[in-house]
Amino acid sequence: MVPCYNEEESIPLFFDAVEKVVHQMEPTIEYWFINDGSRDRSLSEMRKIHSQNSDRVHYVSFSRNFGKEAALYAGLRSANGDYVVVMDADLQDPPEYLPEMYKLIISGEYDCVGTRRTDRKGEAKLKSFLSDKFYDVINKISDVKIVNGARDYRMMTRQMVNAVLSLTEYNRFSKGIFNWVGFKTKYIPYKNVERVAGTTDWSTWKLFKYAFNGIIDFSEAPLSIATWFGGFSAFVSIIGLIVVIIRHFVEPGSSAFGWASLVCIMLLLGGIQLMCLGIVGRYVGKIYMQSKHRPVYIVKEKK
Ligand code: UDP
Ligand code: MG
C-alpha cells in the first residue's frame, strides 16, 4: 500500500520499479494506492494504472488531504494480503529490498521486517539534529521504544496488521503504533535515497509538530512537568521564607528589598504555570478530538 500526496510524477516510476522487482517473486501482489487529497494529477495516474491492471491495482481516493497517518490507516484497512508492505511513492523506499524482506518474513521468525536509514544524507543539519533528539526524548519518557531512523517502509504479517488496525484511535502516530503492538521486528539498514520526483511536504516545523504530537500520544511524562516544577519552586520558596524570617530577627527592618528580583520570580512562575497549563491543554484537546469519534478519513472513490 502506498500513500500518495501530489505524486503525479512518482506514481508511474514507482509502479514500474516495483513491477520489475516483484516480477521475479512468486507471490501474487495487490497494490493499493491511497490518494490523500492530491491537488495534482495523481488520481488520474492511479486510474490509468488501474485500468491497465484492474485485477491487482486498486486505489482509494480521499475527499481531501487527511495526512499520511490517515492514508496509512486506509491502506492497511484496504489491503487483503497475508503480508502487507507500506511504501512511499517517491522511491525513497527501495523496492529492491522486497525479495529479502519477503524471504525473512516467510521464514516465520519475524512478524515484521522494517527498514532503517543509517544516514540522513541530503537532509538539512537542523532537521537531522532535531530528529535525533526526538528519538532520545521519546525513548526516555515513553514505554514504546522507537528505533532511530526507522522508516515506515515495512512488511508485516496479517496478524500484525490486524493488531495495528485494532487500535482505532483518532490521533494516529504510526511509528509509535507499530512498536506498541509488539511482535518481532527485524530492521534492514540501508543508505538514504533521495526522492525521484516531486518535493517533500514536510517542513522542519511540520516535522517538529509531528514529533511533539507523537510524544503526547505515547507518553504522559509531559504532564508531570507541572508537578516537578511545582515541587521545586515550593521547596525554594520555603528556604527563601526561612532566610527572610531569620534576617528579620538578625537585622530588623531589612527584609523588604529586591523589587526587581521579585518581579522576575513572579514572571518566571507565571510563565511556568502557563506552560504547564498549555501542556495539559494539549492532552485535553486530544481527548476532545477523540471524543467526537470522527472518522480518520473520508473516501470519495474506491476501485
Ligand atoms: N504523504 C501523504 N499525505 C501527506 C503527506 C505525504 O500521503 O499529507 C505521502 C507522500 O506522498 C509519500 C509519503 O507520504 O508517499 C512520504 O512523504 P514524503 O516523501 O514527503 O516524506 P519523507 O520521505 O520526507 O518522510
Ligand atoms: Mg519521501
Side-chain angles (χ1 to χ4, degrees), residues 3-5 7 36 65 67-68 88-90 92 195 200-202:
C4 303
Y5 177 56
E7 303 277 11
D36 185 13
N65 179 251
K68 187 182 174 184
D88 284 1
D90 54 13
Q92 274 189 309
R195 277 181 154 270
T200 178
D201 186 45
W202 295 91

Side-chain angles (χ1 to χ4, degrees), residues 77-128:
R77 275 176 70 170
S78 310
N80 304 305
D82 292 336
Y83 302 103
V84 180
V85 186
V86 177
M87 277 177 107
D88 284 1
D90 54 13
L91 287 178
Q92 274 189 309
D93 300 335
E96 300 85 73
Y97 289 97
L98 288 171
E100 190 183 340
M101 290 164 101
Y102 183 66
K103 224 166 80 197
L104 279 166
I105 210 162
I106 54 165
S107 74
E109 197 164 333
Y110 304 101
D111 305 288
C112 173
V113 181
T115 52
R116 187 167 62 81
R117 286 196 289 185
T118 48
D119 68 340
R120 292 177 173 275
K121 215 173 75 208
E123 206 179 71
K125 282 259 164 2
L126 178 70
K127 217 167 160 178
S128 315

